[in-house]
């Protein structure tokens, strides 16, 4: 009889992904560098060499710094109009990449593409961001009078962004902050999330490959211990670091003494639900805040503290999480995340906690003292407290966002919670939505990405409240500084 052989499975095809360097495409050569994602696919990217680092440290002569803010937001709007079109090839490829690399559902991937479109087209809000944080919407373009000085904001110059792999939209936010403050931007994407940085850079190219905005953006990757990457970080004037403690420490370690580090993370978030709340509305808000990005974001709710019946709230929350499973399927949870969540839930059940478990996620009603880790994947811990002031000891500088239901609770508790370290308060259900004028991890990022320069009034300008010229020599010689004011 002929020997039967088992058919060999073909190895998966490895996709080549380029770098984008100041508007130019760099394709991988030879073996390149292989990246494997949590869900399995492997891609090939270019090697990050000394030559690549040298190119990143030397942006083109004409960049975004030479443009007015109006020209910048106008160009971004043109790109955003492309992203609005569901038939735009780059958008469709991006949605496919999110589904392939991250196992996002179609709904989640489309929502992410919509966020890019809306953000790029928010030209009025981009002007307002500058006005709110820097004092005047034209302060990057001309000198603005402020009492006895004219003030103007200048870009710091070269910005490097160490991006996270958990929230794709962070890339869009970080890049927009750099561009509207007229800084060039090197986007160092995470090993788990190359899609957004590359899609943005390439969509700029689609509109105008020679435009100064296009030629002010690069999207690349290097391993954490790559010395050429350290060179790029050391060359930065401002370094935006997203992610865990290791990423933040690495940014401070490799930046130059003159550089400014803007740290985002690591942080956690929670929700406070009062017994007077509309429980259906509160549960819907918590479900939303726990479903977006599968609780990987700093603003994701993991814990709910309530002085109401925790079991009744858990029932309402389960119904809403089931609803969100239909709207935003939970496909993106990795096997490791699911295993960690299962282990944590079972540990709480062993300790006597009640748990609700389903394809939609898990809800554990337990004492906060028993909660050691906060796994991702739509796992919500509900804690009963006799009085909402019992939440205070559980808040420190690691807490980013606190949601309230009803919203009136914010007036009663925000001062004490802010003193303990929380830096953002929202109505339950609005954690992923950052309002104009709000802070990010306690910071006003645009302030840190600019240099404020002043031209101050000369001697003949008395100044408000003064009745004699400001002549420092005469003050010293005649000892009449006391006569400066009436």
């Amino acid at each position: 009889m002929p020997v039967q052989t088992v058919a060999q499975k073909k190895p998966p095809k490895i996709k080549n992904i380029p770098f984008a360097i100041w508007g130019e495409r760099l394709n991988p050569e030879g073996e390149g560098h292989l990246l494997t994602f949590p869900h399995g696919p492997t891609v090939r990217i270019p090697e990050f060499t000394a030559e690549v680092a040298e190119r990143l440290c030397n942006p083109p002569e004409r960049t975004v710094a030479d443009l007015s803010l109006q020209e910048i937001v106008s160009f971004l709007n043109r790109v955003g109009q492309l992203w609005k079109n569901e038939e735009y090839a780059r958008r469709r490829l991006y949605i496919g990449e999110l589904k392939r690399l991250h196992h996002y559902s179609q709904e989640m991937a489309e929502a992410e593409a919509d966020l890019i479109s809306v953000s790029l087209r928010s030209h009025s809000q981009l002007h307002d961001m500058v006005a709110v944080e820097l004092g005047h919407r034209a302060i990057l373009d001309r000198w603005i009078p402020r009492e006895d000085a004219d003030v103007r904001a200048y870009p710091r110059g070269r910005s490097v962004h160490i991006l996270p792999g958990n929230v794709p939209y962070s890339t869009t936010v970080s890049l927009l902050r750099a561009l509207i403050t007229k800084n060039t931007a090197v986007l160092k994407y995470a090993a788990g999330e190359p899609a957004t940085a590359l899609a943005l850079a390439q969509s700029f190219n689609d509109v105008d490959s020679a435009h100064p905005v296009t030629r002010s953006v690069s999207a690349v990757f290097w391993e954490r211990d790559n010395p050429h990457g350290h060179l790029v970080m050391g060359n930065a004037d401002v370094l935006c670091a997203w992610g865990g403690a290791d990423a933040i420490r690495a940014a401070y370690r490799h930046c130059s003494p003159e550089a400014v580090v803007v740290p985002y993370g690591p942080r956690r978030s929670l929700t406070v639900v009062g017994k007077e709340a509309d429980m259906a509305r509160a549960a819907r808000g918590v479900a939303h805040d726990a479903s977006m990005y599968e609780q990987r974001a700093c603003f994701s709710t993991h814990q709910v503290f309530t002085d109401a019946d925790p079991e009744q709230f858990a029932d309402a929350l389960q119904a809403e999480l089931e609803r969100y499973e239909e709207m935003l399927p939970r496909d993106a949870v990795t096997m490791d995340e699911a295993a960690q969540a299962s282990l944590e839930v079972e540990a709480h059940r062993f300790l006597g906690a009640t748990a609700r478990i389903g394809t939609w996620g898990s809800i554990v009603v337990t004492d906060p003292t028993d909660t050691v880790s906060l796994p991702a994947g739509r796992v919500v811990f509900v804690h009963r407290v006799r009085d909402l002031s019992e939440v205070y000891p559980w808040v420190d500088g690691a807490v980013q966002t606190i949601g309230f239901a009803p919203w009136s609770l914010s007036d009663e508790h925000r001062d004490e919670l802010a003193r303990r370290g929380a830096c953002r308060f929202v109505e339950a259900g609005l954690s992923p939505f950052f309002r104009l004028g709000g802070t990010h991890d306690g910071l006003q990022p645009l302030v840190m990405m600019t240099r404020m320069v002043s031209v101050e009034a000369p001697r003949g300008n008395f100044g408000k409240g003064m009745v004699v010229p400001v002549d420092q020599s005469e003050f010293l010689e005649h000892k009449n500084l006391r006569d400066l004011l009436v």
Side-chain angles (χ1 to χ4, degrees):
M1 291 181 61
V3 178
Q4 292 184 342
T5 58
V6 178
Q8 296 294 317
K9 262 183 123 178
K10 288 185 179 179
K13 186 177 180 181
I14 296 176
K15 181 176 180 179
N16 288 338
I17 292 182
F19 284 168
I21 301 180
W22 309 133
E24 297 180 7
R25 180 186 178 104
L26 177 65
N27 292 312
E29 297 180 357
E31 293 298 318
H33 181 83
L34 298 181
L35 285 180
T36 301
F37 292 85
H39 288 293
T42 298
V43 299
R44 180 184 291 107
I45 63 174
E47 290 282 356
F48 194 86
T49 62
E51 181 185 358
V52 173
E54 181 68 20
R55 290 178 63 183
L56 292 174
C57 291
N58 292 281
E61 288 187 7
R62 180 164 165 74
T63 66
V64 68
D66 301 312
L67 303 178
S68 67
L69 179 59
Q70 181 173 296
E71 290 174 299
I72 295 168
V73 298
S74 175
F75 178 79
L76 294 174
N77 183 67
R78 289 166 61 196
V79 180
Q81 294 296 339
L82 286 181
W83 279 90
K84 183 180 178 182
N85 183 354
E86 293 185 359
E87 298 305 314
Y88 174 44
R90 190 75 59 193
R91 174 192 167 103
R92 295 177 66 179
L93 286 170
Y94 177 64
I95 289 172
E97 288 294 275
L98 292 183
K99 292 166 65 177
R100 187 175 76 92
L101 299 177
H102 305 289
H103 279 204
Y104 273 22
S105 64
Q106 180 71 22
E107 295 84 353
M108 288 180 70
E110 287 181 354
E112 202 67 27
D114 288 341
L115 274 173
I116 291 177
S117 170
V118 169
S119 300
L120 293 174
R121 290 184 293 113
S122 298
H123 42 281
S124 294
Q125 188 168 24
L126 294 176
H127 278 289
D128 289 343
M129 284 172 60
V130 172
V132 167
E133 293 197 34
L134 301 182
H136 195 286
R137 69 182 182 88
I139 200 167
L140 283 149
D141 296 329
R142 56 185 171 86
W143 298 94
I144 304 299
R146 283 187 180 175
E147 296 294 346
D148 296 337
D150 290 343
V151 180
R152 185 170 178 179
Y154 284 86
R156 290 197 175 272
R158 299 174 295 256
S159 71
V160 173
H161 304 253
I162 311 302
L163 298 168
N166 57 343
V167 180
Y169 184 56
S170 300
T171 298
T172 306
V173 171
S174 208
L175 177 58
L176 286 180
R177 286 172 178 166
L179 293 176
I180 64 175
T181 51
K182 304 188 181 183
N183 292 283
T184 61
V186 174
L187 306 176
K188 186 267 182 185
Y189 54 76
E193 214 294 278
T196 307
L198 286 167
L200 283 168
Q202 292 174 318
S203 66
F204 291 175
N205 243 317
D206 292 342
V207 172
D208 186 347
S209 60
H211 196 279
V213 171
T214 305
R215 293 180 57 75
S216 295
V217 179
S218 295
V220 297
F221 174 81
W222 63 78
E223 298 284 3
R224 184 170 293 177
D225 59 354
N226 189 311
H228 309 307
H230 299 166
L231 175 66
V232 175
M233 295 168 71
N235 185 255
D237 297 301
V238 57
L239 192 55
C240 301
W242 299 69
D246 288 344
I248 306 299
R249 282 194 293 266
Y252 281 105
R253 187 165 60 248
H254 297 299
C255 71
S256 74
E258 297 79 22
V260 172
V261 175
V262 187
Y264 301 120
R267 293 178 185 268
R268 57 186 171 85
S269 297
L270 56 92
T271 303
V272 178
V273 176
K275 57 189 175 185
E276 66 273 29
D278 177 333
M279 289 300 160
R281 170 65 64 183
R284 180 169 299 182
V286 171
H288 181 79
D289 294 344
S291 297
M292 295 298 292
Y293 300 112
E294 307 299 350
Q295 291 180 304
R296 300 180 188 124
C298 291
F299 53 71
S300 298
T301 283
H302 290 265
Q303 295 171 281
V304 176
F305 292 82
T306 182
D307 58 355
D309 184 328
E311 297 292 347
Q312 288 185 5
F313 180 77
D315 287 340
L317 180 57
Q318 177 178 338
E320 293 301 329
L321 284 172
E322 289 173 351
R323 179 172 172 268
Y324 263 82
E325 171 64 9
E326 295 180 7
M327 292 193 298
L328 291 176
R330 193 167 156 261
D331 298 337
V333 177
T334 67
M335 291 180 63
D336 287 345
E337 288 171 333
Q340 182 186 4
S342 177
L343 184 64
E344 190 69 22
V345 171
E346 290 305 318
H348 279 83
R349 293 178 73 178
F350 178 78
L351 294 172
T354 60
R356 293 158 177 77
I357 307 169
T359 56
W360 42 266
S362 303
I363 303 169
V364 181
V365 179
T366 183
D367 189 276
T369 57
D370 294 332
T371 304
V372 178
S373 66
L374 301 172
R378 308 189 194 184
V379 181
V380 181
F381 296 92
V382 179
H383 308 305
R384 172 71 185 270
V385 292
R386 289 168 299 179
D387 186 273
L388 293 181
S389 63
E390 293 178 25
V391 177
Y392 297 166
W394 301 99
V395 174
D396 55 25
V399 172
Q400 186 208 67
T401 300
I402 296 180
F404 287 110
W407 178 235
S408 57
L409 291 175
S410 64
D411 291 337
E412 181 180 351
H413 298 285
R414 63 186 181 182
D415 290 332
E416 181 60 30
L417 293 171
R419 277 192 287 269
R420 289 174 179 265
C423 51
R424 181 172 177 252
F425 302 107
V426 300
E427 186 175 4
L430 295 179
S431 288
F433 188 78
F434 284 72
R435 295 283 192 174
L436 179 66
T439 62
H440 190 153
D441 287 0
L443 305 173
Q444 293 279 298
L446 301 193
V447 173
M448 303 183 73
M449 301 189 73
T450 52
R451 295 184 303 110
M452 303 299 288
V453 182
S454 63
V455 177
E456 300 181 16
R459 181 175 53 190
N461 186 324
F462 287 14
K464 186 183 292 185
M466 300 178 185
V467 293
V468 296
V470 182
D471 192 319
Q472 294 283 293
S473 296
E474 291 216 1
F475 293 158
L476 186 63
E477 182 178 356
H478 300 294
K479 299 182 180 179
N480 62 352
L481 180 59
R482 71 193 70 180
D483 298 327
L484 183 65
L485 301 175
V486 176

